Amino acid sequence: MLKRYSVLLMLVLIPATSWASPYFENIGWVNPKGHVTSQLQYPQLVEEIYRENGEQLIWFDLQESSQLEFQLEVIDAGNISPMLSRQLKQLRFYRNSHRWFEYDILATDAMITYMSYAEQAKHMGKEWYFESKLNHSLPPPSDEGLNALYASIKTQELGELIDTHTPDSDDYQDLIKAYLHLAQSHDKELPKYHQDAKLKSMGDLLSARKQLLARLEVVDIDVSHVDFNVGYYDAKLESAIKQFQRMHGLKPDGVIGPKTQKWLNTSNSERLAMLAVNAERTRMWPEQRNTIILVNVPSFEMEYWHNGESVFQSRVVVGKQARKTPVMTTNLDSVILNPTWNVPWKIMVEDIIPKVKADPQYLRKQNIDIIASWRSNTIIDPAAINWNTLNPKAFPYRMRQMSGHYNALGLYKFNTPNKRAIFLHDTPSKSLFSKESRAFSSGCVRVKNADAFASLLLEKQGVDLDKLNVSPNEANKSIPLRKRIPVHIIYQTAWAEGDTVQYRDDVYRFDH
């Protein structure tokens, strides 16, 4: 039988160790004292699978085993799981050594691990992709998954089973396509591009033109029409640089400054890692685009979908490095007009009280009242507090900023009740929206054109904001939504738009 290995033909010498597995004692081609059995995550389950399969080898189709290895390679390239990286390393060692018995056992174990990883990524991805690496054993796959595994082994359709545990969304597939193209077409690192001074305009001398063009080709910018021998910065090259800048969220001014040069010199391995980790992250993002609000932190952008159509896009300001906007899912339940702002304790202690100590008029200028407690609305006179000797962490009161144009929340709050008190809102600091990098807030998301967003939200709910006749002096006017809208705050530093991959700075250093 061509589809089954012969034990005599495949026999290899497996060195014994002092360690002995309690499993595989009666499977003739397995050495219970071999090193591979000590590497298994699911030894008992693996043994049961082989006994169910008549003690026959499983991975005789090299295309299927290569398919499994590739899925592990993407996880490895994304630096997501040291455990799965070790399994991949051992699989490739056994493959290259033609130690097919050991390879078969480990591949089956790795398949089980991959299935469990795929099943749990939706719920555990926040931990694996943003907090700590997956370096511990996983529970076995679900009963449904194991039944599918047994059936796939019996029908010799493991490739299809791998496909069912791999995302089929366009977001994932586009990133994997870019990963494969980069890995296959640029397998060698290029020399870094250097220039003596910032290139500002056409006609500037360009001494490293070939290196620059090679760097542009890495991200599939067509430079075939650009003359390789011209020794200065010309219009055709400037057009290519502007395209490159747009791909990386930079101002498309054609000027090769430090930020553009940094992205130009991003290594192939770094780009592959970005593509891989962001491809894996798509396992946890929402697939439906019916009615939903998406905020992507690294792109500093928000998008509102209604009935399957993108109806509003906006720049946003997100949390600074010290006060990150969290990856999370919540629901928008109401729009609040002319909101007051109950100052969070951390901001009060770390930001406001030090400013009050430096400027006794700060609270008056910012229209902030001191309130006796959360259960009381009694206003405390700031002059009654000895600010010079005050320990901010022992401050017994709370603070509330009154509504108005200078309120930190602006004129609109998009209420999303959650334990972390993260919500979307307007802002008086409109100038921040013009900056390339917009990580300035204390965690909440500031929305550009919040008035247009509020009007559209309410319009889609059958409410005409212009007909509400809300008084400018009326604070905290809450307008409930008839149907709550899911809000997903995601973190994606690479994604595809059409045929172009977009890259953004890893503002919170989650990719590493």
Side-chain angles (χ1 to χ4, degrees):
M1 296 289 291
L2 293 178
K3 290 189 176 182
R4 298 199 182 277
Y5 291 118
S6 164
V7 172
L8 293 176
L9 290 176
M10 297 296 296
L11 186 60
V12 292
L13 295 176
I14 304 175
T17 66
S18 59
W19 187 91
S21 170
Y23 308 105
F24 308 103
E25 288 288 349
N26 299 315
I27 299 180
W29 49 272
V30 181
N31 181 358
K33 297 182 179 181
H35 180 60
V36 68
T37 53
S38 68
Q39 298 174 290
L40 302 181
Q41 298 292 317
Y42 310 93
Q44 182 176 359
L45 180 55
V46 171
E47 181 190 43
E48 291 173 359
I49 288 172
Y50 281 99
R51 294 200 184 283
E52 181 71 20
N53 195 46
E55 302 182 9
Q56 300 293 316
L57 294 170
I58 293 170
W59 296 90
F60 51 80
D61 187 330
L62 294 181
Q63 184 174 349
E64 290 181 337
S65 59
S66 295
Q67 185 179 350
L68 173 62
E69 285 184 31
F70 177 72
Q71 296 307 141
L72 299 181
E73 176 188 323
V74 175
I75 297 169
D76 174 60
N79 193 25
I80 294 166
S81 171
M83 176 184 66
L84 286 166
S85 293
R86 287 192 297 271
Q87 286 189 314
L88 175 64
K89 182 179 180 180
Q90 287 298 319
L91 278 172
R92 288 178 168 169
F93 170 76
Y94 291 135
R95 177 190 287 272
N96 294 333
S97 303
H98 302 288
R99 295 165 66 169
W100 299 111
F101 289 167
E102 291 160 300
Y103 181 94
D104 207 273
I105 294 173
L106 189 59
T108 301
D109 189 68
M111 179 68 187
I112 299 170
T113 308
Y114 177 68
M115 291 173 63
S116 180
Y117 163 85
E119 287 183 352
Q120 296 193 50
K122 189 79 174 177
H123 309 289
M124 297 300 297
K126 184 179 176 183
E127 175 184 335
W128 298 341
Y129 306 141
F130 303 108
E131 297 173 6
S132 59
K133 308 299 181 184
L134 171 57
N135 198 25
H136 55 79
S137 60
L138 295 171
S142 63
D143 290 343
E144 181 182 359
L146 287 176
N147 289 336
L149 177 59
Y150 280 107
S152 296
I153 292 172
K154 184 176 182 179
T155 59
Q156 301 173 9
E157 294 177 336
L158 284 167
E160 294 183 14
L161 183 63
I162 295 170
D163 283 342
T164 64
H165 286 79
T166 302
D168 60 359
S169 66
D170 291 341
D171 293 338
Y172 178 87
Q173 296 298 331
D174 288 343
L175 288 173
I176 292 300
K177 180 180 177 181
Y179 176 94
L180 285 168
H181 177 74
L182 179 58
Q184 293 168 2
S185 61
H186 298 281
D187 57 341
K188 294 182 180 179
E189 294 291 354
L190 297 172
K192 290 186 178 294
Y193 167 74
H194 295 284
Q195 61 188 35
D196 295 332
K198 181 188 290 186
L199 290 175
K200 297 182 179 179
S201 59
M202 288 183 287
D204 286 350
L205 293 178
L206 184 62
S207 59
R209 188 181 185 90
K210 291 184 178 179
Q211 291 92 327
L212 177 56
L213 294 176
R215 286 284 175 180
L216 293 173
E217 286 182 312
V218 167
V219 290
D220 281 348
I221 291 179
D222 183 10
V223 295
S224 59
H225 62 291
V226 179
D227 192 336
F228 276 65
N229 298 313
V230 175
Y232 57 86
Y233 194 42
D234 60 356
K236 291 181 178 179
L237 185 51
E238 183 186 52
S239 176
I241 289 296
K242 288 181 178 179
Q243 181 182 351
F244 179 87
Q245 289 170 328
R246 283 189 288 268
M247 291 174 61
H248 296 85
L250 304 176
K251 181 180 179 181
D253 56 9
V255 176
I256 306 180
K259 293 180 181 178
T260 301
Q261 191 169 346
K262 186 211 81 168
W263 276 111
L264 283 168
N265 285 325
T266 299
S267 67
N268 295 349
S269 59
E270 287 177 290
R271 287 194 186 273
L272 287 171
M274 288 183 69
L275 293 168
V277 70
N278 284 287
E280 288 302 304
R281 284 172 181 161
T282 65
R283 293 178 184 271
M284 62 179 294
W285 306 144
E287 295 182 13
Q288 69 89 7
R289 294 290 191 274
N290 186 21
T291 298
I292 191 173
I293 295 169
L294 285 175
V295 177
N296 184 21
V297 171
S299 71
F300 309 110
E301 293 176 340
M302 182 198 78
E303 189 166 16
Y304 168 37
W305 292 71
H306 181 77
N307 288 342
E309 293 185 16
S310 176
V311 295
F312 184 82
Q313 302 87 36
S314 173
R315 291 186 169 201
V316 298
V317 171
V318 300
K320 63 187 75 173
Q321 171 67 30
R323 297 175 186 171
K324 300 177 180 66
T325 297
V327 173
M328 62 181 294
T329 300
T330 182
N331 290 286
L332 196 159
D333 69 358
S334 59
V335 177
I336 299 176
L337 309 182
N338 299 325
T340 58
W341 181 40
N342 292 309
V343 182
W345 186 85
K346 186 173 184 179
I347 296 176
M348 183 175 67
V349 168
E350 296 182 1
D351 298 346
I352 295 182
I353 291 179
K355 291 178 180 178
V356 176
K357 288 186 174 185
D359 178 8
Q361 298 303 312
Y362 179 83
L363 294 176
R364 181 185 61 79
K365 294 175 182 178
Q366 297 297 320
N367 205 16
I368 296 176
D369 288 337
I370 298 176
I371 313 297
S373 69
W374 289 102
R375 296 182 178 180
S376 169
N377 284 319
T378 303
I379 297 178
I380 305 297
D381 184 356
I385 300 172
N386 188 340
W387 296 99
N388 293 325
T389 61
L390 174 69
N391 177 1
K393 293 184 178 180
F395 192 67
Y397 311 119
R398 67 183 178 97
M399 293 182 181
R400 179 180 64 203
Q401 187 179 38
M402 303 309 294
S403 62
H405 285 279
Y406 296 101
N407 182 281
L409 307 185
L411 300 179
Y412 303 91
K413 175 183 175 182
F414 306 98
N415 199 41
T416 54
N418 59 85
K419 293 180 180 179
R420 308 185 76 163
I422 298 296
F423 49 85
L424 285 65
H425 63 86
D426 185 19
T427 177
S429 303
K430 311 294 187 185
S431 62
L432 296 179
F433 293 117
S434 64
K435 297 184 179 296
E436 288 176 359
S437 179
R438 298 187 289 277
F440 299 107
S441 83
S442 293
C444 288
V445 179
R446 307 175 190 176
V447 181
K448 185 180 181 181
N449 299 323
D451 53 347
F453 181 45
S455 295
L456 184 62
L457 275 174
L458 296 176
E459 175 190 323
K460 298 300 183 183
Q461 300 276 328
V463 178
D464 188 341
L465 183 57
D466 294 332
K467 294 182 179 180
L468 289 178
N469 296 320
V470 179
S471 169
N473 298 321
E474 183 180 359
N476 292 323
K477 173 64 176 180
S478 179
I479 306 174
L481 301 185
R482 295 176 180 175
K483 187 175 182 180
R484 297 189 303 172
I485 302 174
V487 177
H488 292 261
I489 300 177
I490 69 173
Y491 193 95
Q492 201 74 359
T493 54
W495 69 94
E497 289 183 1
D499 296 329
T500 302
V501 175
Q502 297 286 322
Y503 297 90
R504 295 296 185 270
D505 280 324
D506 181 16
V507 62
Y508 294 158
R509 307 295 292 170
F510 283 152
D511 286 3
H512 296 79

